[in-house]
Amino acid sequence: MQRDSTARSASKGSSSGRSQSSGDLGHEMEARVAQLWFWEGYFARRGINLERHYHPDPLLITDLDLVAFDFNPQLASTKHIGEVKTGTSRNAPKPLDRLIWLSGLKQVVEADTGELTTALVPSDRVRNLGRTLGITAQSLVDFERREKESVAGLENLGSQGIAAAETVKRVQETCKRDPELERAFWFLRSEVWFLKPFVAVKQIIDLMRRLSRRWTPKHDDDDSAAIRWLMCEATSLLTLNTITIAGIGFTLSKDQFFALVEESLAEGIVPSHQARRFSESIDRYVAGLLAAANAPAHLRVDAVGAFLPKPPDYAEAYAELTWRIMQSTLAARILPRQVDFLVFERVVNRREASWTTVFKLGLRRQDGSRLRRLVAAFLRGANASIDVVDAALTREVEVEQRQEDHQSISSQLNYEQQAFTNEPKIDHPASVYASRIKEALQRKFERSHIKASANNGPDITFVGEDGRSVVIEVKYRSGGALGVSEIADARRQLDRFAGDQRGLLVTNAPLSDEVRQYNASNPGFSSGIEVLTWNDDRDDDLLARALLRQLA
């Protein structure tokens, strides 16, 4: 938005001998306020474009300076907006005018609360009026006091800060050269913020699928940098909308919630109940035509429901993801901020978290780590992820590194070198996944023995109390469903190391229809190999039952 001239520089990022335009100062202040909100507990963004949303109607308000979300213990969301004015000239907007203006904008964008930050000190009367309107009015002095208390030592981390705002500008310039990337950029900077959660989720996943097809691992140019940023922003917004959807399910049974999710994801522009009535009318009409034409009975049956909206292929997996998230509300409330910080810090900024942020965001908590892995597993199964984002969500968070450890270029690249090479000393995501399976087996069978994998040997050998053993092959996938060809590979490994012994194939990926049919064709698993998906401790019982079937 346009800014008036200012009598003082409130930007810590300004050079002492450099003049600064009011527009630049205003954008930097917005970035600093958004950063403050993030470290005070909000999921925050700046510069949400309103012009494109209301196009072609003309609009003097170019963008929404600040928007943020918070969640209560029942995962109900609170929307918070903000306005920043740095001008102090005679013609600069007065705090009372901007307060009333922001109150109207709050209603337009359906926000719950607001905050006005202005270089002109608001009077007590203006502050009191703001409280009655659900808006906090503060001066730059008030803001800087809060910033000193909450942000000191945490500047320019994750998606926040002046440096992040500069990154957005570079990404925008890159996207201008490519129509598809430009559409993706403005979708994430404008339209997605005005969509209902289920519609937003569908469109975000579709966008991530298209971006993932353009991703080239280990290729580093301007387009790759733009895709990194777009995928991180999409992942953050998907998580934010997922928590909002999870809040709907508190008063529903699991079956009711799953039905709601699948029906809502099947909706298009027309609401599902109207589409269902429309489909029933078409069914009656088509059935009459087929009956008059003496069509075979199987054609009449196949025609039923042809116009009924169908949910996307990932609907069931998404319902399961959302339901599991809802079972861990303490971790779910902070999950959008954790995901946002980790993907931007690791993928865009290419560095690891400092020890301060690890503890401030609770990044080492096991419940949060489990939910992040669930999000990553869902995105892999939906073919809506790329390797660097998947690693950012699944890689363990260490606490030994300090902020000063990752200032050099070499340490910025260290994360990806560790995540995607095959050197034995590297903590590869596949190795982490296999280790977590071993931990799950130890949890369920405390007196058993888990043999470490040997060179060219089976991935895991489980030895029970009675001495009987089961060979377990582990298949970690960064995307897509597990196919029957991978069963054949596991079978060859099993024949090589265990003779005619039965075994398990455990994967983090969803199972393809062919694999599901394979499992269904051998219900007792008296022969062959059993295939199952394991992602976290909630799947421990599934793993234990499968293992006991092999030992029977």
Side-chain angles (χ1 to χ4, degrees):
M1 303 178 68
Q2 293 183 348
R3 298 301 194 280
D4 295 296
S5 60
T6 182
R8 63 190 292 264
S9 172
S11 172
K12 294 182 179 179
S14 303
S15 299
S16 58
R18 177 171 59 90
S19 62
Q20 189 174 39
S21 70
S22 59
D24 289 341
L25 177 59
H27 289 310
E28 289 190 5
M29 277 302 304
E30 290 171 10
R32 289 173 61 192
V33 175
Q35 180 175 249
L36 171 65
W37 286 6
F38 181 87
W39 292 114
E40 286 183 337
Y42 285 101
F43 179 99
R45 285 295 185 271
R46 61 159 294 274
I48 305 305
N49 190 280
L50 292 172
E51 279 184 307
R52 289 178 176 267
H53 175 61
Y54 288 106
H55 182 78
D57 294 313
L59 189 68
L60 292 177
I61 308 170
T62 57
D63 60 14
L64 182 60
D65 285 359
L66 299 151
V67 63
F69 292 85
D70 189 21
F71 295 90
N72 70 11
Q74 288 74 43
L75 301 185
S77 65
T78 300
K79 188 175 184 179
H80 191 58
I81 65 170
E83 171 75 4
V84 176
K85 284 297 177 185
T86 57
T88 57
S89 69
R90 179 183 301 178
N91 296 325
K94 301 303 184 285
L96 180 59
D97 292 330
R98 303 318 295 173
L99 185 73
I100 295 173
W101 178 90
L102 186 59
S103 176
L105 183 60
K106 183 166 71 78
Q107 295 184 45
V108 170
V109 300
E110 299 179 341
D112 300 287
T113 57
E115 182 176 284
L116 172 65
T117 303
T118 174
L120 298 174
V121 179
S123 65
D124 291 341
R125 186 176 182 182
V126 170
R127 294 177 191 265
N128 291 333
L129 175 61
R131 295 187 186 99
T132 66
L133 299 175
I135 298 173
T136 301
Q138 67 175 353
S139 67
L140 290 182
V141 174
D142 300 324
F143 159 74
E144 288 169 350
R145 183 182 62 254
R146 290 168 59 192
E147 184 183 49
K148 183 178 180 180
E149 293 172 352
S150 299
V151 186
L154 300 172
E155 297 89 351
N156 296 313
L157 299 177
S159 64
Q160 302 300 325
I162 296 173
E166 293 300 317
T167 299
V168 173
K169 290 181 181 179
R170 291 194 297 270
V171 170
Q172 183 179 355
E173 288 300 316
T174 300
C175 291
K176 285 180 180 179
R177 303 194 294 265
D178 187 307
E180 184 178 24
L181 295 183
E182 186 175 32
R183 287 193 298 271
F185 178 85
W186 286 117
F187 172 75
L188 295 172
R189 296 291 290 182
S190 178
E191 195 58 37
V192 69
W193 295 93
F194 306 100
L195 297 175
K196 298 299 182 183
F198 283 106
V199 179
V201 164
K202 286 202 300 183
Q203 295 194 21
I204 291 171
I205 292 175
D206 180 64
L207 171 66
M208 296 178 75
R209 283 177 163 178
R210 286 186 279 114
L211 290 174
S212 66
R213 291 193 289 269
R214 298 190 51 164
W215 172 250
T216 304
K218 299 183 181 180
H219 184 67
D220 204 0
D221 59 9
D222 289 344
D223 283 358
S224 296
I227 292 174
R228 284 172 180 269
W229 186 92
L230 292 169
M231 287 294 288
C232 289
E233 186 76 355
T235 302
S236 295
L237 294 180
L238 176 73
T239 308
L240 178 69
N241 281 279
T242 298
I243 302 303
T244 303
I245 292 172
I248 301 173
F250 266 87
T251 58
L252 301 177
S253 68
K254 186 173 183 179
D255 290 341
Q256 290 173 327
F257 182 72
F258 271 52
L260 171 67
V261 171
E262 294 193 15
E263 182 178 274
S264 299
L265 289 175
E267 280 187 355
I269 298 176
V270 179
S272 59
H273 65 280
Q274 295 181 8
R276 190 179 299 108
R277 288 200 298 268
F278 176 75
S279 176
E280 292 170 354
S281 300
I282 295 294
D283 286 345
R284 288 193 294 269
Y285 178 73
V286 172
L289 291 178
L290 294 176
N294 293 320
H298 71 276
L299 288 181
R300 301 184 197 181
V301 173
D302 291 342
V304 175
F307 289 86
L308 191 65
K310 300 294 191 297
D313 55 0
Y314 53 79
E316 183 178 356
Y318 184 74
E320 181 68 34
L321 166 70
T322 313
W323 181 262
R324 291 191 179 195
I325 286 175
M326 189 178 61
Q327 308 308 305
S328 302
T329 55
L330 285 177
R333 294 177 66 185
I334 198 174
L335 183 64
R337 295 175 65 230
Q338 288 185 342
V339 168
D340 182 62
F341 177 82
L342 279 176
V343 293
F344 274 94
E345 192 70 351
R346 287 174 157 179
V347 178
V348 176
N349 300 332
R350 308 192 198 189
R351 60 196 181 199
E352 282 293 345
S354 68
W355 68 274
T356 304
T357 57
V358 167
F359 288 105
K360 193 172 183 68
L361 290 172
L363 296 175
R364 291 280 292 175
R365 287 178 57 93
Q366 290 302 304
D367 50 359
S369 298
R370 179 177 59 81
L371 294 188
R372 296 196 299 270
R373 291 194 296 268
L374 284 175
V375 172
F378 166 75
L379 291 175
R380 286 195 303 271
N383 295 317
S385 187
I386 58 177
D387 50 7
V388 288
V389 171
D390 184 74
L393 292 174
T394 57
R395 185 174 171 81
E396 292 297 326
V397 177
E398 303 296 338
V399 297
E400 289 79 15
Q401 283 185 299
R402 297 298 191 267
Q403 183 71 19
E404 59 270 21
D405 293 337
H406 51 67
Q407 295 302 314
S408 67
I409 297 295
S410 59
S411 61
Q412 287 183 349
L413 298 176
N414 182 57
Y415 165 70
E416 287 177 24
Q417 292 172 351
Q418 290 186 356
F420 303 115
T421 60
N422 294 317
E423 296 296 327
K425 64 180 180 179
I426 299 305
D427 202 12
H428 192 277
S431 301
V432 173
Y433 178 68
S435 298
R436 290 172 50 227
I437 292 175
K438 294 175 186 177
E439 293 171 1
L441 293 172
Q442 203 67 60
R443 284 195 298 269
K444 301 302 291 186
F445 302 94
E446 294 181 359
R447 298 182 181 179
S448 62
H449 178 60
I450 314 297
K451 291 185 178 180
S453 59
N455 291 336
N456 298 321
D459 292 328
I460 299 174
T461 301
F462 173 89
V463 182
E465 294 181 61
D466 56 2
R468 289 183 296 170
S469 63
V470 175
V471 171
I472 301 174
E473 286 297 304
V474 177
K475 182 62 179 179
Y476 177 88
R477 289 182 62 95
S478 60
L482 188 83
V484 291
S485 62
E486 289 157 304
I487 297 179
D489 292 340
R491 181 71 262 178
R492 285 192 290 270
Q493 286 289 93
L494 190 63
D495 292 341
R496 180 181 176 187
F497 298 111
D500 59 355
Q501 181 180 348
R502 291 181 287 168
L504 293 176
L505 173 56
V506 183
T507 180
N508 64 316
L511 306 183
S512 67
D513 291 340
E514 293 81 1
V515 174
R516 292 179 184 274
Q517 291 172 7
Y518 166 84
N519 276 344
S521 66
N522 192 20
F525 296 100
S526 57
S527 63
I529 187 169
E530 181 174 355
V531 188
L532 69 145
T533 297
W534 183 93
N535 277 304
D536 55 52
D537 55 3
R538 297 202 176 200
D539 295 328
D540 283 1
D541 289 340
L542 178 66
L543 177 63
R545 288 194 296 270
L547 193 60
L548 291 173
R549 282 194 290 268
Q550 302 302 316
L551 293 171

